Amino acid sequence: MTRKALFAAAATAALLVSPAMAQDGQPTADGGTSKGRTVRTDAAPISVYKVILVGDSTMAAMSGWASIFCAHHVKSSVACLNLGRGGRSTRSYRQEGSWANAMAEAKVPGYRATYVLIQFAHNDQSSVAERWTEMDKEFPDNLRRMVEEVRAARAIPVLVTPLTRREFVKGKLNNTLEPWSAKVREVAAALKVPLVDLNASSAAAVQQLGPEASTALAQTGPSEAELAAARAGTTLKPRAAEDARLPPVPTVPNGPRGQFVRKFDYTHIGDAGAEVFAALVARDLARAVPELRSQIAP
């Protein structure tokens, strides 16, 4: 018999076999798809953590570090929720209802443990009427209240000092948020709260990069004047948002219409900046919260 005839005979024989047969010659219930598999069992209950990120624009999507942290530094056994929102302070985040939303998320059952990372100060330092807080008492009092409410929700608070701005004077970083960071550290120590000292780690990283290289951490590139000033060691004052921002992304009538504010400044960060600072948060969170070490990737 030729090879062609053998193939034809084999094909005919296969078509005549119906239904699929088990090893004992009996038809299988699923048409043969379980042949050779192990006996089925139920999956063991999963043990999942939850991390909720609460803060301002330096944490928010497309302007901060937290979305990259969730995407690149936690395992699939962690539900990571970025609730950072631009322009918010410890005062306005509560007043507008965002804190109530965060606490509702913190109370959701079913997780092995829920952690709430809290990072504010940029807008507490602001002069905008709905945002600013007094540094010595009001700001730390607001943080204390947040810590107490997280614990009352049976979640675990973690305080995060504010991401540094990238402003330089004669080659030295002008860390205007250090006094506010000191208040965060004091609250963490007094209430025995895990601390991620992002201000210290980000300031060290930015100082090492220097004024020129650190411009690459922004959402978009600097102007020629801003770059020249950075090369000379002293950054310019931030441009007005209308002048510094990129044009809106083109849209179509039946497509997505949301827009992110994208601009060059010394506060907000693009993807490159988010990668740098999210890695610092991952490193320092693992040190501050040993239980999460197996859940966090470098």
Side-chain angles (χ1 to χ4, degrees):
M1 184 179 291
T2 66
R3 179 177 295 184
K4 184 175 180 180
L6 283 170
F7 285 156
T12 301
L15 289 173
L16 293 174
V17 177
S18 180
M21 306 298 286
Q23 289 181 351
D24 60 2
Q26 298 300 313
T28 60
D30 61 358
T33 59
S34 65
K35 185 177 180 180
R37 296 185 181 181
T38 57
V39 176
R40 290 206 306 177
T41 61
D42 291 332
I46 192 171
S47 182
V48 180
Y49 294 83
K50 188 174 188 178
V51 173
I52 303 169
L53 300 138
V54 169
D56 54 36
S57 59
T58 61
M59 182 184 271
M62 292 296 290
S63 61
W65 55 265
S67 292
I68 292 294
F69 172 81
C70 290
H72 294 177
H73 293 284
V74 299
K75 296 175 65 176
S76 62
S77 49
V78 178
C80 194
L81 180 61
N82 181 11
L83 297 183
R85 296 193 172 116
R88 273 61 170 188
S89 66
T90 55
R91 179 167 159 252
S92 64
Y93 197 88
R94 178 182 293 277
Q95 289 174 327
E96 71 181 8
S98 286
W99 181 250
N101 292 340
M103 288 302 91
E105 290 289 346
K107 294 174 184 177
V108 173
Y111 294 94
R112 178 171 178 173
T114 295
Y115 295 85
V116 182
L117 275 62
I118 304 168
Q119 179 208 274
F120 288 100
H122 279 264
N123 298 295
D124 291 82
Q125 194 184 50
S126 168
S127 60
V128 176
E130 69 183 32
R131 301 178 186 176
W132 69 267
T133 66
E134 183 273 325
M135 184 182 74
D136 289 329
K137 188 174 189 307
E138 185 180 13
F139 176 64
D141 282 353
N142 289 349
L143 291 177
R144 289 187 189 96
R145 184 180 175 189
M146 287 177 164
V147 166
E148 291 165 358
E149 291 176 359
V150 170
R151 286 174 169 168
R154 298 186 177 180
I156 302 166
V158 178
L159 290 176
V160 183
T161 57
L163 180 71
T164 187
R165 296 189 178 95
R166 303 176 302 282
E167 299 169 344
F168 284 80
V169 177
K170 296 181 180 179
K172 184 177 180 180
L173 181 69
N174 183 26
N175 189 359
T176 56
L177 287 158
E178 167 53 33
W180 296 78
S181 300
K183 297 298 178 182
V184 180
R185 296 184 195 109
E186 289 173 6
V187 173
L191 300 184
K192 295 181 172 56
V193 179
L195 176 73
V196 173
D197 199 347
L198 180 58
N199 185 262
S201 61
S202 62
V206 171
Q207 181 64 65
Q208 184 175 8
L209 283 171
E212 181 181 357
S214 66
T215 61
L217 304 180
Q219 291 177 306
T220 188
S223 67
E224 291 184 6
E226 288 164 335
L227 186 57
R231 285 171 175 160
T234 300
T235 52
L236 300 180
K237 290 183 178 181
R239 283 178 280 158
E242 295 76 14
D243 178 42
R245 69 186 298 171
L246 296 177
V249 175
T251 62
V252 295
N254 61 345
R257 293 185 296 172
Q259 297 285 341
F260 292 100
V261 175
R262 300 167 302 135
K263 61 183 179 179
F264 176 84
D265 62 16
Y266 306 101
T267 298
H268 303 100
I269 52 178
D271 287 350
E275 291 281 3
V276 170
F277 300 125
L280 294 179
V281 172
R283 181 197 69 186
D284 293 342
L285 181 59
R287 293 173 178 174
V289 185
E291 185 182 7
L292 283 176
R293 286 175 185 167
S294 65
Q295 307 302 308
I296 299 173

